[in-house]
Amino acid sequence: MSPRTLRAARGDTLRPRGAGGRLWGGGYPAGVSSEQKPAKDTADTTEAVAEPRPRRLTYAAVLAALEGAALVVGGLWMLVIGLTGGASDRKQGVSLGITLVVLALLPLLAARGLLLRRGWSRGPAVITQLMALPVAYSLLQADSMAIPAGIALAVVAVVALVLLVNPATTRALGIRGPGRSE
């Protein structure tokens, strides 16, 4: 049978181009409709936003913001040292200072997203904490005043990670686990 005969046997009719740009009628081949349907979860998301923000989420946002602020301060300090230092230190100080200020954007944006209860913000916040752990480890290996900074950074990173993976935080951000259609 020809394709035209098969379509006629199924009940498809020929219609002019322009109605969706398709030549044959009968809807999309996979049975998908071109009409938009309202999301099923609209009531759930409005209820989740109406609930107060969990304290754990607020604490995680504050910790991320503190880390971002520390990176900004460290970056500006390195810029000042680089600009006022010798010629050999200038390039290294300026590049490190700019790098730290740019890296500060990640935890600062994540903190803002957490406070606004955006689901995307947990990823950058978790990445920030995971990046902080090796830095804390290297600070702990130093034989200097960096050891207390390493301890503080490690504590902040671990506490923030625990707060970010907490089920209450996950629910508040509207993140569902794999295979959950709640």
Side-chain angles (χ1 to χ4, degrees):
M1 281 189 174
S2 71
R4 183 175 224 163
T5 310
L6 285 173
R7 286 187 187 102
R10 284 194 323 223
D12 290 345
T13 58
L14 187 63
R15 64 179 173 178
R17 286 196 188 264
R22 299 188 58 227
L23 184 60
W24 296 96
Y28 289 99
V32 178
S33 171
S34 62
E35 298 176 15
Q36 290 185 348
K37 297 179 182 176
K40 296 177 183 176
D41 299 331
T42 54
D44 295 339
T45 55
T46 54
E47 290 173 9
V49 174
E51 296 175 3
R53 184 183 325 118
R55 280 187 280 154
R56 292 179 176 124
L57 183 60
T58 305
Y59 296 154
V62 167
L63 290 176
L66 285 174
E67 287 173 333
L71 283 170
V72 168
V73 169
L76 293 177
W77 182 61
M78 287 305 298
L79 272 172
V80 169
I81 287 177
L83 292 174
T84 60
S88 63
D89 296 338
R90 184 161 299 167
K91 287 182 184 177
Q92 189 176 18
V94 170
S95 64
L96 180 60
I98 291 171
T99 301
L100 288 176
V101 170
V102 170
L103 278 176
L105 293 175
L106 184 67
L108 291 174
L109 288 173
R112 183 175 186 274
L114 289 171
L115 287 175
L116 296 175
R117 299 174 77 171
R118 304 287 193 255
W120 60 263
S121 61
R122 189 174 82 158
V126 168
I127 290 170
T128 300
Q129 307 317 316
L130 293 176
M131 287 177 13
L133 289 174
V135 173
Y137 179 77
S138 67
L139 290 173
L140 290 171
Q141 299 304 312
D143 291 329
S144 66
M145 291 297 297
I147 292 174
I151 293 170
L153 183 58
V155 167
V156 167
V158 169
V159 168
L161 277 172
V162 168
L163 292 172
L164 288 168
V165 298
N166 188 287
T169 302
T170 304
R171 273 192 307 277
L173 292 174
I175 299 172
R176 295 189 183 116
R180 294 190 179 152
S181 61
E182 296 175 11

